[in-house]
């Protein structure tokens, strides 16, 4: 089938580089003579077009994507409450329930005579894309997440920007921690995978790094701090992933709403309180949170995003669908969505960066 018009959607949490992917995919499409449309707020532009006064589909012309490569966020808008297979909807009693609206979405897609879809998102968005592909939509996924936890690609775009910013923050915190002889606990994003904490912690020379893959014993962290004090180092930097789990106890979950993934938060404060009590040393917490998702993409992320956007269009053009573009240096290849979604990419405990951290004497609380 020859392609005439395609749509692009951005789903889940935003990440630096989304606009670069959009621009690259749009120009690559226009240069093939295709028309291009952006679906607003995930799939909401097609599911609830009445909520968008300018239309749920945004024509993506050259003008629409001019000068956006370096901008954070997404010009299309996004949502992490828009899974068409479990769409949060009020029932007759006004209670929120999850409704399967995937057939409606496919019908709207066809009514707009769209021939293909580029879905830019993380694990949740790729799982949705896979299910839509099984229902017959021609879809190519583009792996996005600052968490870097998507399987099948060496790295996702957004990760480098998040780590670069977090490392800069730790550099700044060193000076104040040193001057005040304090323990600084820095909480970074990373629900189930500790990539951001690990890369930031090693690059920023943290003393302990607590990641979801290794349940931590707070007493082991205290041992590390005490050992430093004995060597005359009166401050410590502890990097904690939001999904870090103690050996006894669970993740710090602050809520779970219908149609949404569980929300995490609070582990940094919890650890800081424990460390202050156990060491008697003044302790402060910094939660970097959404700051890691904002800002301009680094050069690495820009280039990766531009490469991913163009590769997604090439994939559609070559008749490949139900796949995701993936970085496999030196190339970008296409892998089945099934492979991308079959498991989460956690930090392998024997990977080189972990071994480096261990050799440097960084504690993982184990
Ligand atoms: O982008 C992924 C992520 O950064 C997770 O690490 C984090 O838990 C989540 O987004 C938070 O997203 P939001 O606050 O937008 O629901």
């Amino acid at each position: 089938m020859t392609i005439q018009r395609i749509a692009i959607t951005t789903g889940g949490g935003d990440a630096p580089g989304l606009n670069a992917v959009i621009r690259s995919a749009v120009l690559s499409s226009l240069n093939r003579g295709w028309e291009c449309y952006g679906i607003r707020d995930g799939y909401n532009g097609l599911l609830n077009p009445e909520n968008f006064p300018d239309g749920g589909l945004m024509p993506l012309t050259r003008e629409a994507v001019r000068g956006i490569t370096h901008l954070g966020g997404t010009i299309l808008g996004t949502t992490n409450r828009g899974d068409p297979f479990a769409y949060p909807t009020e029932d007759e009693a006004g209670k929120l329930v999850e409704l399967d609206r995937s057939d409606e979405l496919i019908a709207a897609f066809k009514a707009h005579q769209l021939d293909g879809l580029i879905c830019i998102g993380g694990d949740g968005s790729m799982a949705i894309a896979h299910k839509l592909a099984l229902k017959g939509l021609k879809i190519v996924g583009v792996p996005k997440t600052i968490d870097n936890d998507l399987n099948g690609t060496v790295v996702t775009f957004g990760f480098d920007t998040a780590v670069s910013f977090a490392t800069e923050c730790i550099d700044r915190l060193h000076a104040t921690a040193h001057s005040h002889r304090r323990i600084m606990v820095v909480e970074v994003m990373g629900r189930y995978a500790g990539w951001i904490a690990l890369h930031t912690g090693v690059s920023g020379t943290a003393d302990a790094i607590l990641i979801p893959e290794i349940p931590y014993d707070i007493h082991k962290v205290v041992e590390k701090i005490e050992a430093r004090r004995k060597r005359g180092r009166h401050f410590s930097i502890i990097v904690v992933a939001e999904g870090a789990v103690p050996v006894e106890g669970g993740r710090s979950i602050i809520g779970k709403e219908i149609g949404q993934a569980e929300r995490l938060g609070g582990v940094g404060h919890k650890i800081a309180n424990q460390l202050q009590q156990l060491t008697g040393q003044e302790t402060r917490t910094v939660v970097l949170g959404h700051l890691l998702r904002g800002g301009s993409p680094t050069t690495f992320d820009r280039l990766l995003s531009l490469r991913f956007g163009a590769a997604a269009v090439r994939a559609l053009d070559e008749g490949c669908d139900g796949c995701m573009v993936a970085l496999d240096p030196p190339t970008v290849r296409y892998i089945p969505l099934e492979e991308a979604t079959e498991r989460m990419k956690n930090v392998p405990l024997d990977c080189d960066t972990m071994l480096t951290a261990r050799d440097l004497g960084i504690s993982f609380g184990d």
Side-chain angles (χ1 to χ4, degrees), residues 42-76:
Y43 294 105
N44 285 348
L46 282 179
L47 289 172
N48 307 315
E50 67 283 0
N51 292 346
F52 301 88
D54 301 329
L57 279 186
M58 175 181 180
L60 291 173
T61 57
R62 277 177 201 279
E63 291 67 40
V65 297
R66 188 165 286 156
I68 64 169
T69 303
H70 64 294
L71 300 180
T74 159
I75 59 165
L76 301 179

Side-chain angles (χ1 to χ4, degrees), residues 80 146-147 189-191 242 290 293:
N80 46 18
I146 65 163
D147 292 349
M189 281 190 170
R191 292 166 161 274
E242 63 180 342
H290 294 81
R293 296 224 305 242

Side-chain angles (χ1 to χ4, degrees), residues 320-331:
C320 167
D321 66 283
C323 66
M324 182 184 86
V325 299
L327 183 66
D328 184 9
T331 57

Side-chain angles (χ1 to χ4, degrees), residues 122-165:
D123 56 341
S125 302
M126 291 307 128
I128 294 167
H130 182 40
K131 288 199 265 179
L132 289 172
L134 292 175
K135 285 191 156 210
L137 278 200
K138 281 196 172 311
I139 295 199
V140 174
V142 176
K144 161 244 64 166
T145 165
I146 65 163
D147 292 349
N148 191 34
D149 55 3
L150 252 170
N151 195 35
T153 183
V154 165
V155 73
T156 52
F157 74 85
F159 175 66
D160 185 65
T161 309
V163 170
S164 302
F165 178 71

Side-chain angles (χ1 to χ4, degrees), residues 26-327:
V26 169
L27 295 185
S28 305
S29 300
L30 297 180
N31 288 337
R32 282 170 169 76
W34 304 352
E35 276 176 58
C36 217
Y37 292 87
I39 308 173
R40 292 192 191 268
D41 295 7
Y43 294 105
N44 285 348
L46 282 179
L47 289 172
N48 307 315
E50 67 283 0
N51 292 346
F52 301 88
D54 301 329
L57 279 186
M58 175 181 180
L60 291 173
T61 57
R62 277 177 201 279
E63 291 67 40
V65 297
R66 188 165 286 156
I68 64 169
T69 303
H70 64 294
L71 300 180
T74 159
I75 59 165
L76 301 179
T78 187
T79 176
N80 46 18
R81 307 186 64 218
D83 179 351
F85 292 89
Y87 200 84
T89 311
E90 272 191 15
D91 69 7
E92 281 160 16
K95 194 175 155 243
L96 268 189
V97 292
E98 293 178 353
L99 205 69
D100 183 352
R101 296 186 63 190
S102 57
D103 287 338
E104 236 180 286
L105 176 69
I106 289 171
F109 195 79
K110 289 190 177 147
H112 286 282
Q113 296 174 311
L114 295 163
D115 304 315
L117 175 67
I118 293 177
C119 167
I120 315 169
D123 56 341
S125 302
M126 291 307 128
I128 294 167
H130 182 40
K131 288 199 265 179
L132 289 172
L134 292 175
K135 285 191 156 210
L137 278 200
K138 281 196 172 311
I139 295 199
V140 174
V142 176
K144 161 244 64 166
T145 165
I146 65 163
D147 292 349
N148 191 34
D149 55 3
L150 252 170
N151 195 35
T153 183
V154 165
V155 73
T156 52
F157 74 85
F159 175 66
D160 185 65
T161 309
V163 170
S164 302
F165 178 71
T167 303
E168 191 196 322
C169 291
I170 291 186
D171 290 348
R172 289 169 183 240
L173 290 171
H174 259 97
T176 171
H178 183 251
S179 308
H180 283 266
R181 298 186 165 212
R182 281 175 175 158
I183 300 168
M184 299 295 306
V185 176
V186 187
E187 183 186 309
V188 295
M189 281 190 170
R191 292 166 161 274
Y192 310 115
W195 292 105
I196 298 179
L198 176 65
H199 283 224
T200 299
V202 175
S203 309
T205 67
D207 304 297
I209 302 173
L210 307 180
I211 58 175
E213 289 85 346
I214 305 176
Y216 66 86
D217 175 348
I218 198 71
H219 296 99
K220 297 281 181 190
V221 183
V222 171
E223 273 172 28
K224 172 74 190 177
I225 293 167
E226 301 291 1
R228 279 176 59 74
R229 279 213 289 221
K230 280 195 191 117
R231 290 202 306 270
R233 306 298 278 157
H234 293 281
F235 72 95
S236 290
I237 306 275
I238 318 295
V239 176
V240 183
E242 63 180 342
V245 273
V247 267
E248 275 164 31
R251 266 188 195 89
S252 292
I253 299 171
I254 51 175
K256 162 85 182 92
E257 282 175 27
I258 291 288
Q260 231 178 339
E262 59 191 16
R263 285 186 61 209
L264 303 183
V267 70
H269 288 292
K270 190 171 127 191
I271 288 171
N273 286 340
Q274 284 177 314
L275 290 179
Q276 179 153 322
Q277 257 176 23
L278 292 167
T279 63
Q281 196 173 347
E282 220 181 4
T283 306
R284 295 285 188 268
T285 318
V286 175
V287 180
L288 293 179
H290 294 81
L291 286 170
L292 301 180
R293 296 224 305 242
S296 268
T298 56
T299 308
F300 179 89
D301 274 338
R302 274 182 218 192
L303 182 58
L304 182 61
S305 302
L306 294 168
R307 291 174 70 194
F308 276 169
V313 170
R314 286 199 301 274
L316 279 176
D317 203 10
E318 290 163 20
C320 167
D321 66 283
C323 66
M324 182 184 86
V325 299
L327 183 66

